[in-house]
Amino acid sequence: MQEFEFIHRVTDMLPSQAEGLLCGIGDDCAVFAGNGGRDWLISTDGFTEGVHFQAAWASPSDIGRRCLEAAVSDIAAMGGRPRYVMVSISIPNTMSESDAMAYMQGISASAADYQMIIIGGDTTTSKQGLHLAITVIGDVRHGASLYRRGARVGDVVYVTGVLGGSMAGLNVLETKRTGYQEEVNRFLRPTARVASGAWLSDTGCVTSMIDVSDGLIQDLGHVAKASGVGLVVESGSIPCWQTEKGAVNIETACASGEEYELAFTVDGLRDSAFQRLLPAALGQLGHPITRIGQVVAGSGVIVRKPDGGVLSLDKSGYAHCIGKSA
């Protein structure tokens, strides 16, 4: 089964409510009511050599940094700020001490960029490959978390940055081509949109948000399902990765995972106000924010072509396969 079916089955087995718990399984972070006008955000991500990365692709430090950025992206998706991190690492016996330390140095360097403190974790040996589990703890102004479930009919869909560069970079690494360093850097050195997420929360205009970790269309599908709505994305509006060598195709932009951009919806009645706020913010945030669609009655996500037809996608994003059918 795919990972999302597995998560759904596990969720059905577990209690869903607890004192102080504002949001449990089903969003980018768990949210707990805090003190002093702040709520706590907690998220865990796992990274497995051979699945999430290949050791030959980059230095251990770069891989460590990449994993931390991916984990922090969940905090950004809720509109919060990362504060603390816990790291569990399983190190194969064949790895040198210097490489093992370099993974942690990369994680530490990325944490320092956000003024985060590493407060603990666990260290074990692994019989095969490196495994990392990173738990990030952040906070957000009380009641200001941006959930997947808040989109409403009439809202407008936006995305930060440009899409497709990560998949293009992964393809370069897998095929061992040369001369595409920008794409490789886009895959190996993502940046969590923490400042952007916090700004979006502060506008008071955003109704839902998710980070693009599995692919734009697949991740927007989570928003549609959680909110009980449909989403129409205009193919001609999707911002595609482009360099001097050309642009990725729309299918790649729709399905590219590990982009760590933010896809979000804006209250349709406040979209004009949001548009007025954008020009001043874009210079500070350093990336585009693009209107790409609208929220409609119905379910799921469709990508509409300029001629009004529906774009058929072979792949909407990435999902892990869990277990083997009996």
Side-chain angles (χ1 to χ4, degrees), residues 27-197:
D27 218 302
D28 285 293
C29 293
V31 185
F32 289 88
N35 298 318
R38 308 292 290 180
D39 292 333
W40 288 110
L41 307 171
I42 304 175
S43 180
T44 296
D45 281 284
F47 305 93
T48 300
E49 183 178 350
V51 177
H52 296 91
F53 63 89
Q54 301 289 345
W57 287 349
S59 69
S61 178
D62 275 350
I63 292 172
R65 178 182 284 272
R66 182 178 187 274
C67 292
L68 195 281
E69 293 286 344
V72 167
S73 183
D74 286 332
I75 302 292
M78 306 297 289
R81 295 280 186 179
R83 303 297 182 188
Y84 309 101
V85 60
M86 301 181 73
V87 181
S88 293
I89 183 169
S90 295
I91 304 168
N93 291 327
T94 54
M95 182 178 291
S96 68
E97 292 180 2
S98 60
D99 278 354
M101 291 304 301
Y103 280 105
M104 290 305 303
Q105 287 164 356
I107 291 171
S108 298
S110 183
D113 289 342
Y114 299 105
Q115 298 180 311
M116 298 172 67
I117 300 172
I118 298 178
I119 59 172
D122 192 23
T123 305
T124 64
T125 57
S126 164
K127 290 186 177 181
Q128 184 175 2
L130 181 82
H131 306 273
L132 285 165
I134 299 178
T135 298
V136 179
I137 302 169
D139 67 347
V140 65
R141 179 169 47 84
H142 178 65
S145 295
L146 295 173
Y147 301 104
R148 300 176 181 182
R149 64 189 183 219
R152 300 183 295 267
V153 174
D155 287 355
V156 183
V157 184
Y158 287 83
V159 70
T160 66
V162 295
L163 302 170
S166 180
M167 182 178 283
L170 175 60
N171 180 261
V172 170
L173 289 167
E174 289 180 333
T175 57
K176 300 181 180 180
R177 288 180 292 157
T178 59
Y180 293 86
Q181 195 58 47
E182 286 185 75
E183 287 80 0
V184 170
N185 288 344
R186 181 69 182 89
F187 175 76
L188 290 178
R189 299 172 184 171
T191 300
R193 298 297 193 191
V194 172
S196 304

Side-chain angles (χ1 to χ4, degrees), residues 27-28 76-79 146-148 197 200 206 208-210 262-264:
D27 218 302
D28 285 293
M78 306 297 289
L146 295 173
Y147 301 104
R148 300 176 181 182
L200 289 167
V206 177
S208 69
M209 191 153 70
I210 191 170
L262 299 175
F264 59 96

